[in-house]
Amino acid sequence: MSDSASEAGIIAGPCIVVDRVSKLYGKCTVLDQVCLEVRKGEIFGLLGPSGSGKTTLVRLITGLDVPNAGNVELLGEPMPQLSMLARIGYMAQSDALYGELTARENLAFFASLYGMKGAGLAKRINEAAELVNLSGELGKQVALFSGGMKRRLSLAVALMHEPEVLVLDEPTVGIDPVLRKSIWQELDGLRKQGVTVLVTTHVMDEADKCDRLAMIRDGRVIAAGSPDELKLATGSASMEEAFVAYGGGVQ
Amino acid sequence: MRIRSLALRIVRQIVKDKRTLALMLIAPLLVLTLMKFVFDGQSVNPRVGIVDYPHQIVAALASTGADISEFSDEDSAMRALEHDDLDALVSIRDGQPHVLLEGSSPTKNRNVMSALQEALEPFRPEEFKLSVAFAHGSGDLNIFDYYGSVLVGFFSFFFVFLIAGVSFLRERTTGTLARLLATPLRRWEIVAGYLLGFGIFTLLQATLIAWYSTGVLGIALEGSMFMVLIMNLLLAIAALTLGTLLSAYAQNEFQIFQFIPLVIIPQIFFAGLIELDSMPEWLQALGHALPLYYGSAALRDIMLRGAGWSEVWSDALALCCFSLAFAALNVAALRKHRRI
């Protein structure tokens, strides 16, 4: 049980349930009988090397794709469902912004797809920009942004409609340590507001910051639990050692 | 509402991207202008060598504008022909008028023959003389009027195809499509948004091309400007839906350009630049499967024959069906990126 989640006073129930999910592309099995449960109001990490099936799993959870076998439930609703997309904030690996437009126009456009408009929209743009520290840059064309600024704006886009579940695919790839730290602080703040955060990463020391995590290797969950549990069970000092102990290392 | 947001965003993007805007609005005008100068060049007078020929016929030939050189014997004339100083040699052989064409250029051959026919016309017996009149257009309808009516449609089609294809592809390669699909936006709403956003520019482009080609370049316009505009717009929308559909099957911009020789160039052949009746039947049938065939036929009928709605409605219907089919296929193709 995650201490920080209970501190925040969140009723811990299942937010995401993945039940014996398999996914095949052609003859290639990308996910094999994956089971996991993410509780409300926790930061849940999917840890695994690239190509292990993290992104595919995330796509199944958000309802962008359908599994060949098994079920996915989100906030008690079976996925995929179009209406559920309004309750998810999704940030893919690429920044996915329109370079010709200003930061404000990007935020306004994506928010309008969730039906936001008028004064509420303008207020939310300022809030989201403040959250990622881009208040002063809203009028700037995104093409002129640095990589880190784009990443932050991308996160702000995912936060615009105040989703209950935030799904981030490798949010800190290609980002300097200072910015990486600020993004994790941001996620921590969101969790305190009751947002459930699902984050994929292949960086072992980031996994330590999650409340709980699942280790994925070759489309299978090889271990799940809190970072301390996983380290304790394997007698490892670091996540990396634990990962290797569970058979996640190079075979 | 969401469709409007999407369309508005596309408009904003294009307005800020000056080069794309220029390619869509200015480039067709530039190419059309260039075409006018290319086709409107002075017709080159045929150079005809004459050996020992009746004087009144030589005079008549000279009056058609032919460039005449007289030779005393056939050998020296032959040498001039070999040196490319003559396009044809006219002489009397065995008591019969005889023409020897240089032969390497079809255009020059035709010029020589039409000059000769024109020169000989007054010498025909009265009962064989032809009286010529025009049901549509007039004798001064030149080749640019004919090709122009085809090209007006073609340029709308080509530039809209390119821009719509590339921008929909970029939506995918930059990951914004995945982001759009992670919102509650429906797949058909994305296609509709694109149609509306780009539709505004295609309307602008169609108007500009129609006005410029008839008003400024002076391409013949027998029918109504409004009809030209409507057909041009329908053609551009077919290009828009086809471009966005095909972009689903391209991995990058380069692969979009690979569709040009496959999808665009063949359509030119069926647009009326080449006489369709001269093609084998199976090839003519293929033409009926291409949007540009209908668009060009309708534009030609309107601009050169003054056709009205009653004559071109079937072409308009065909274009609408193409657009609908392409759009529907595109909605289906988006399933690859989101299953619902």
Side-chain angles (χ1 to χ4, degrees):
Chain A
M1 181 65 220
S2 150
D3 291 337
S4 26
S6 46
E7 268 168 31
I10 304 303
I11 310 122
C15 169
I16 302 168
V17 179
V18 177
D19 184 22
R20 284 163 293 161
V21 159
S22 296
K23 180 70 189 172
L24 289 90
Y25 285 119
K27 283 184 178 169
C28 179
T29 307
V30 184
L31 292 176
D32 187 14
Q33 299 273 321
V34 169
C35 292
L36 47 92
E37 206 174 288
V38 178
R39 294 165 195 158
K40 275 181 191 156
E42 70 176 350
I43 299 183
F44 191 92
L46 289 174
L47 177 69
S50 48
S52 56
K54 299 188 301 274
T55 299
T56 306
L57 184 54
V58 160
R59 284 178 58 83
L60 294 179
I61 290 171
T62 49
L64 292 177
D65 216 335
V66 288
N68 294 91
N71 300 303
V72 177
E73 256 182 43
L74 191 89
L75 298 162
E77 300 274 347
M79 293 297 277
Q81 239 183 89
L82 200 60
S83 61
M84 289 305 288
L85 290 173
R87 300 169 73 178
I88 307 172
Y90 174 62
M91 182 170 121
Q93 285 180 25
S94 57
D95 288 325
L97 300 163
Y98 297 102
E100 301 92 337
L101 305 183
T102 64
R104 178 179 276 110
E105 285 167 336
N106 268 284
L107 289 171
F109 167 63
F110 284 109
S112 70
L113 300 180
Y114 293 97
M116 299 172 73
K117 57 185 171 190
L121 173 63
K123 182 167 162 276
R124 185 63 194 153
I125 287 176
N126 290 329
E127 281 172 12
E130 199 155 333
L131 224 52
V132 295
N133 219 349
L134 282 173
S135 297
E137 324 284 344
L138 276 175
K140 214 168 160 187
Q141 202 187 334
V142 169
L144 305 172
F145 272 26
S146 71
M149 286 161 80
K150 281 184 191 160
R151 208 78 201 133
R152 270 142 65 203
L153 182 61
S154 191
L155 181 60
V157 169
L159 294 173
M160 274 301 286
H161 59 294
E162 299 182 75
E164 294 159 68
V165 185
L166 191 59
V167 178
L168 309 171
D169 199 359
E170 303 265 10
T172 55
V173 157
I175 281 201
D176 62 83
V178 179
L179 184 59
R180 186 189 298 182
K181 199 172 167 212
S182 85
I183 284 185
W184 274 98
Q185 275 169 358
E186 195 50 56
L187 298 184
D188 214 43
L190 287 164
R191 177 193 40 197
K192 291 203 172 88
Q193 293 168 31
V195 177
T196 308
V197 182
L198 178 71
V199 57
T200 75
T201 181
H202 64 266
V203 185
M204 301 287 167
D205 63 344
E206 280 191 357
D208 266 324
K209 301 190 179 87
C210 302
D211 295 317
R212 292 193 314 129
L213 58 98
M215 290 179 171
I216 298 188
R217 168 91 206 184
D218 294 332
R220 274 191 292 271
V221 174
I222 53 176
S226 75
D228 287 340
E229 281 167 10
L230 294 174
K231 278 188 275 193
L232 202 66
T234 54
S236 319
S238 68
M239 280 314 294
E240 198 149 5
E241 278 178 44
F243 193 71
V244 174
Y246 277 113
V250 182
Q251 286 147 351
Chain B
M1 183 60 216
R2 289 187 292 224
I3 298 173
R4 217 195 60 179
S5 301
L6 196 57
L8 196 66
R9 191 215 82 213
I10 291 167
V11 170
R12 280 210 178 110
Q13 271 182 301
I14 298 181
V15 167
K16 288 190 181 180
D17 185 357
K18 298 283 184 285
R19 273 180 76 144
T20 302
L21 197 62
L23 183 67
M24 228 173 148
L25 299 183
I26 316 283
L29 307 190
L30 271 178
V31 183
L32 274 170
T33 311
L34 187 65
M35 286 297 214
K36 180 180 170 60
F37 288 124
V38 170
F39 283 121
D40 261 8
Q42 293 298 310
S43 57
V44 182
N45 294 327
R47 298 165 302 169
V48 181
I50 303 276
V51 183
D52 192 22
Y53 213 65
H55 279 296
Q56 65 266 45
I57 295 181
V58 175
L61 195 56
S63 70
T64 67
D67 189 356
I68 294 189
S69 346
E70 295 205 51
F71 293 86
S72 51
D73 61 297
E74 208 156 306
D75 284 345
S76 56
M78 279 302 287
R79 272 195 298 278
L81 191 80
E82 289 302 325
H83 283 109
D84 201 21
D85 292 328
L86 291 179
D87 297 326
L89 178 58
V90 178
S91 60
I92 304 274
R93 276 189 195 172
D94 308 325
Q96 287 279 318
H98 182 262
V99 184
L100 179 69
L101 291 167
E102 198 275 333
S104 62
S105 157
T107 315
K108 285 180 179 170
N109 297 345
R110 217 167 31 238
N111 283 348
V112 171
M113 291 316 289
S114 73
L116 275 172
Q117 263 158 16
E118 198 183 329
L120 292 174
E121 187 66 26
F123 300 96
R124 283 184 198 231
E126 202 61 41
E127 61 267 37
F128 291 121
K129 278 193 179 164
L130 282 176
S131 145
V132 179
F134 293 88
H136 296 290
S138 64
D140 55 355
L141 198 67
N142 65 21
I143 194 148
F144 182 63
D145 287 317
Y146 182 77
Y147 285 162
S149 68
V150 174
L151 293 171
V152 161
F154 173 70
F155 287 127
S156 291
F157 193 85
F158 181 57
F159 288 107
V160 170
F161 173 85
L162 266 193
I163 292 170
V166 169
S167 75
F168 202 70
L169 174 95
R170 281 187 50 197
E171 193 93 60
R172 212 173 77 228
T173 52
T174 58
T176 48
L177 181 64
R179 183 157 239 167
L180 290 182
L181 288 169
T183 73
L185 200 60
R186 286 163 209 282
R187 281 181 281 134
W188 68 265
E189 287 177 317
I190 296 183
V191 176
Y194 256 75
L195 216 59
L196 186 62
F198 272 98
I200 292 168
F201 286 97
T202 42
L203 180 63
L204 205 64
Q205 186 203 47
T207 315
L208 205 60
I209 292 182
W211 163 78
Y212 187 81
S213 54
T214 56
V216 178
L217 295 182
I219 297 180
L221 177 63
E222 290 253 312
S224 88
M225 178 76 153
F226 181 69
M227 290 294 296
V228 174
L229 201 63
I230 294 279
M231 290 312 298
N232 225 346
L233 185 65
L234 289 178
L235 192 58
I237 288 176
L240 175 64
T241 47
L242 180 63
T244 50
L245 171 63
L246 287 183
S247 73
Y249 302 98
Q251 296 307 316
N252 50 47
E253 275 90 345
F254 183 54
Q255 290 190 351
I256 290 268
F257 294 119
Q258 290 168 1
F259 282 123
I260 295 174
L262 279 174
V263 177
I264 302 293
I265 308 278
Q267 301 212 46
I268 304 177
F269 299 143
F270 297 98
L273 289 185
I274 297 160
E275 207 57 57
L276 275 171
D277 298 336
S278 65
M279 297 181 192
E281 250 168 59
W282 63 269
L283 204 60
Q284 288 186 36
L286 182 69
H288 291 262
L290 304 171
L292 200 55
Y293 167 83
Y294 297 94
S296 302
L299 280 171
R300 208 161 49 233
D301 284 348
I302 295 165
M303 294 175 76
L304 301 182
R305 300 196 190 101
W309 189 244
S310 57
E311 287 134 289
V312 297
W313 69 269
S314 60
D315 293 313
L317 185 67
L319 285 177
C320 290
C321 289
F322 273 114
S323 298
L324 270 176
F326 293 149
L329 284 171
N330 200 0
V331 173
L334 282 173
R335 266 181 70 87
K336 206 165 74 177
H337 304 284
R338 188 180 74 191
R339 297 296 295 272
I340 51 166

